């Protein structure tokens, strides 16, 4: 008798558990350690909740990922419940996501207010910040010491130091050595790099906050002309086809003095099997001349729940879990992914693992935003026109003057005369 009551209780508990357990899907990125960290976070959430989440893999290039998301969402497909979205997409995709306000219990108040504002579209909070990003300059501390050079403060200094160290190392036998690697492929990553050059020469942000097209100016021309001068001198010709991972590959194998990249490259560069482990320094990206400014493009990723999800409650539970203090702390320590929770920039464990989260705090708190808020749903067209114009200058097809004059015209047309 006793036994059968016990059996019945067990059976009914299992039943209620399985009746509630749901399976959802999430799109996680796979750049660097992203996929692995996402899998671990999901596994912990599954254990805590009894639900299951499947990962849908998406392209590494943010430009290709956007195209895929647009197709799925335009069709109202429910293949993906939780979308990992770029900081520049709330204005493009926001209509397809639920307002998370009623699910987060105010957790967003602990995150950088600028990112929360960025993720709020027409009063709807459409995505929870997950990690932020800003472009930084990596350098080989051992090589700068060997050649008695300091980390550069201006692009002009970077150019001179890169040449000196590159030539010295080539003469010493490493004929694969380059001075500076970065993201030069015609895609969103080039928009990020080129915005940094332009802003560092005080040439603005392509389109200003009010929606005025500002890109056709002398400082921007100087910035693009300077960058074009690096190709096939201190930077390999192949840089015109590099994304983040190609640049990291060259730097991490020990074949570049400087690299522009996002913070995730720090952990990997210092991993056990990395040839440059312990030989890396990180500083703010250089200024355009003495009167210029340090500029790091604001990047980063958010988690959003699809309007077409059959399980928005469960999806929001996963979003809350992955964006929590503990998860952001773990991801910062293991993968040098920048938290969006401000308090973690004072956390000792985080600062020990990634010291430049402290020394470059202002770079992360005041990243240079791309003009995605001002241009809204048109942002991708704006960026596409900008990266193509830039790529033309870098590859020598056109000069900066002609490229930016044409870009201004293109942007006027895209904006229908400045009315975004
Ligand atoms: C990084 C940034 C993202 C940016 C992308 C460009 O993933 O976080 O904001 O758009 O790089 O490649």
């Amino acid at each position: 008798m006793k036994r059968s009551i016990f059996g019945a209780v067990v059976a009914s508990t299992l039943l209620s558990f399985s009746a509630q357990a749901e399976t959802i899907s999430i799109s996680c990125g796979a750049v660097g350690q992203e996929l692995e960290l996402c899998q671990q976070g999901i596994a912990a959430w599954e254990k805590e909740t009894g639900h299951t989440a499947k990962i849908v893999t998406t392209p590494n290039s943010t430009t290709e990922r956007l195209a895929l998301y647009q197709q799925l969402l335009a069709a109202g497909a429910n293949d993906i419940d939780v979308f990992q979205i770029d900081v520049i997409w709330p204005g493009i995709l926001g209509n397809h996501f639920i307002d998370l306000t009623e699910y987060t219990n105010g957790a967003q108040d602990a995150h950088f207010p600028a990112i929360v504002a960025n993720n709020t579209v027409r009063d709807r909070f459409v995505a929870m910040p997950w990690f932020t990003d800003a472009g930084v300059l990596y350098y080989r501390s051992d090589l700068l010491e060997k050649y008695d050079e300091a980390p550069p403060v201006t692009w002009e200094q970077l150019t001179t130091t890169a040449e000196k160290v590159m030539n010295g190392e080539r003469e010493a036998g490493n004929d694969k050595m380059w001075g500076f690697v970065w993201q030069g492929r015609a895609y969103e990553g080039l928009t990020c790099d080129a915005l940094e050059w332009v802003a560092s020469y005080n040439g603005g942000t392509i389109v200003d906050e009010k929606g005025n097209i500002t890109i056709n100016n002398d400082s921007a021309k100087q910035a693009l002309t300077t960058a074009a001068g690096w190709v096939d001198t201190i930077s390999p010709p192949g840089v015109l086809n590099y994304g983040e991972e190609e640049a990291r590959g060259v730097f991490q194998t020990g074949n570049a003095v400087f690299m522009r990249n996002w913070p995730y490259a720090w952990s990997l560069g210092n991993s056990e099997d990395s040839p440059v482990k312990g030989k890396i320094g990180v500083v703010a990206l250089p200024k355009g001349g003495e009167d210029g400014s340090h500029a790091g493009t604001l990047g980063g990723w958010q988690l959003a729940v699809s309007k077409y999800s059959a399980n928005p409650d469960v999806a929001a539970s996963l979003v809350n879990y992955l964006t929590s203090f503990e998860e952001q702390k773990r991801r910062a320590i293991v993968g040098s992914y920048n938290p969006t929770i401000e308090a973690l920039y004072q956390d000792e464990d985080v600062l020990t693992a990634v010291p430049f989260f402290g020394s470059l705090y202002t770079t992360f708190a005041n990243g240079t935003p791309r003009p995605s808020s001002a241009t809204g749903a048109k942002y991708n067209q704006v960026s596409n026109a900008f990266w193509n114009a830039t790529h033309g200058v870098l590859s020598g097809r056109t000069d900066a003057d002609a490229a930016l004059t044409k870009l201004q015209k293109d942007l006027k047309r895209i904006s229908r005369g400045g009315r975004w």
Side-chain angles (χ1 to χ4, degrees):
M1 181 66 187
K2 249 190 194 164
R3 225 177 169 186
S4 69
I5 290 176
F6 178 71
V9 170
V10 170
S12 77
T13 313
L14 282 177
L15 189 73
S16 67
F17 189 75
S18 66
Q20 286 168 12
E22 303 285 355
T23 298
I24 57 166
S25 58
I26 174 171
S27 70
C28 300
V31 178
Q33 300 181 76
E34 267 186 295
L35 193 59
E36 203 181 319
L37 285 169
C38 188
Q39 277 161 347
Q40 292 162 353
I42 289 171
W45 170 81
E46 288 178 339
K47 216 169 156 202
E48 193 176 284
T49 62
H51 298 302
T52 306
K54 295 215 170 84
I55 294 179
V56 179
T57 49
T58 55
N60 267 355
S61 156
T62 186
T63 301
E64 289 167 30
R65 200 182 296 173
L66 175 61
L68 174 71
Y69 282 7
Q70 282 178 314
Q71 274 177 18
L72 286 173
L73 290 166
N78 64 359
D79 309 50
I80 300 178
D81 299 282
V82 177
F83 281 82
Q84 177 179 335
I85 68 159
D86 202 330
V87 69
I88 49 184
W89 298 345
I92 302 176
L93 301 176
N95 287 341
H96 297 285
F97 302 133
I98 64 168
D99 185 345
L100 287 171
T101 315
E102 62 180 286
Y103 296 94
T104 58
N105 198 19
Q108 62 271 29
D109 295 349
H111 296 246
F112 285 117
I115 306 180
V116 174
N118 177 79
N119 297 359
T120 305
V121 185
R122 277 175 242 100
D123 288 334
R124 295 172 65 252
F125 178 53
V126 296
M128 193 71 181
W130 196 16
F131 63 96
T132 186
D133 252 342
V136 291
L137 182 72
Y138 290 80
Y139 64 91
R140 285 284 299 281
S141 48
D142 57 328
L143 292 180
L144 291 203
E145 198 179 316
K146 177 172 168 189
Y147 290 86
D148 201 19
E149 290 290 341
V153 176
T154 63
W155 290 114
E156 292 69 21
Q157 288 167 5
L158 177 138
T159 308
T160 315
T161 306
E163 253 170 12
K164 175 176 165 183
V165 179
M166 178 183 87
N167 291 337
E169 289 300 291
R170 285 185 180 183
E171 273 159 32
N174 181 3
D175 56 3
K176 291 207 185 91
M177 195 69 178
W178 286 100
F180 183 34
V181 291
W182 37 279
Q183 293 73 46
R185 182 189 303 156
Y187 80 123
E188 184 63 31
L190 177 56
T191 289
C192 296
D193 287 38
L195 175 65
E196 283 156 358
W197 310 329
V198 170
S200 78
Y201 279 91
N202 300 329
T205 57
I206 313 165
V207 172
D208 72 13
E209 280 172 10
K210 294 193 187 110
N212 302 308
I213 298 159
T214 59
I215 188 60
N216 192 14
N217 66 72
D218 288 345
S219 304
K221 287 173 197 167
Q222 193 186 350
L224 297 192
T225 306
T226 303
W230 300 328
V231 181
D232 212 5
T233 57
I234 58 169
S235 303
V239 79
L240 294 179
N241 206 21
Y242 280 10
E244 285 80 3
E245 286 291 82
E246 287 79 10
R248 184 174 69 83
V250 176
F251 186 77
Q252 198 168 312
T253 46
N255 292 329
V257 186
F258 296 110
M259 168 175 72
R260 182 274 177 207
N261 217 323
W262 307 102
Y264 82 96
W266 170 259
S267 276
L268 292 161
N270 283 307
S271 59
E272 273 316 311
D273 57 356
S274 164
V276 295
K277 178 179 188 311
K279 299 175 181 168
I280 308 172
V282 179
V283 286
L285 285 163
K287 304 195 281 187
E290 293 299 335
D291 301 329
S293 338
H294 294 288
T297 295
L298 175 72
W301 293 84
Q302 343 295 316
L303 293 177
V305 173
S306 166
K307 252 189 188 170
Y308 317 110
S309 167
N311 286 303
D313 292 4
V314 179
S317 147
L318 179 59
V319 169
N320 288 339
Y321 189 91
L322 293 177
T323 57
S324 68
F325 185 96
E326 286 309 326
E327 249 313 272
Q328 290 207 358
K329 178 167 174 170
R330 185 182 74 86
R331 293 171 56 91
I333 293 171
V334 182
S336 53
Y337 287 100
N338 281 72
T340 57
I341 295 177
E342 280 181 282
L344 282 166
Y345 288 83
Q346 264 109 56
D347 186 287
E348 273 183 30
D349 302 331
V350 170
L351 294 178
T352 305
V354 197
F356 66 87
F357 280 5
S359 56
L360 293 184
Y361 177 76
T362 48
T363 303
F364 301 119
N366 306 311
T368 305
R370 284 161 275 175
S372 54
S373 294
T375 61
K378 298 256 173 76
Y379 172 74
N380 197 47
Q381 278 171 273
V382 171
S383 183
N384 199 307
F386 177 60
W387 81 58
N388 278 332
T390 302
H391 202 265
V393 177
L394 296 175
S395 59
R397 281 199 306 276
T398 170
D399 66 25
D401 192 19
L404 295 188
T405 306
K406 176 172 183 297
L407 177 61
Q408 185 177 26
K409 272 192 207 136
D410 291 346
L411 295 182
K412 267 196 188 142
R413 183 178 36 78
I414 293 169
S415 73
R416 284 178 276 115
R419 298 183 309 276
W420 298 100

